[in-house]
Amino acid sequence: MRRDLRSLTRALRPAVTRAAATELAAFDRPTWLAWATDDRLFPLEHAYALAALMPNAQVELIADSRAFSMLDQTEVLAGLVSDFAVRRAPSA
């Protein structure tokens, strides 16, 4: 896992990330950011900064979780995804 993480971080290119970030302001679709509160790699400030770039974004916090909230808090994340999907579903 460490080797894979090293390979991933070496492949990251800040210019590509910055270019993508400039396009986020034009993305007006509902955006939901599920963010782990205890993540050391992606701090909470990043969630709010990312949400601020998009006109229709919201942040949902997942407590007692780190980068892999789908493993740390499976049921919490599943409930949040379900709630978001129901809120976004077209009315019949």
Side-chain angles (χ1 to χ4, degrees), residues 2-3 13 23 28 32 43 48 57 59 70 72 74 84-85:
R2 287 182 183 152
R3 184 185 68 235
R13 300 289 176 251
E23 296 180 24
D28 63 352
W32 177 69
Y48 294 113
V59 176
M70 73 292 281
D72 297 337
T74 305
F84 181 76

Side-chain angles (χ1 to χ4, degrees), residues 16-85:
V16 172
T17 304
R18 284 191 289 277
T22 62
E23 296 180 24
L24 290 176
F27 188 77
D28 63 352
R29 303 290 302 225
T31 305
W32 177 69
L33 303 168
W35 213 270
T37 59
D38 301 326
D39 195 332
R40 294 180 187 164
L41 187 58
F42 301 104
L44 285 176
E45 305 87 63
H46 292 184
Y48 294 113
L50 183 58
L53 294 173
M54 294 178 279
N56 201 4
Q58 73 179 58
V59 176
E60 288 279 353
L61 301 179
I62 302 173
D64 301 320
S65 185
R66 292 192 177 175
F68 296 104
S69 52
M70 73 292 281
L71 299 175
D72 297 337
Q73 295 292 341
T74 305
E75 293 194 17
V76 171
L77 181 59
L80 291 170
V81 170
S82 177
D83 290 347
F84 181 76

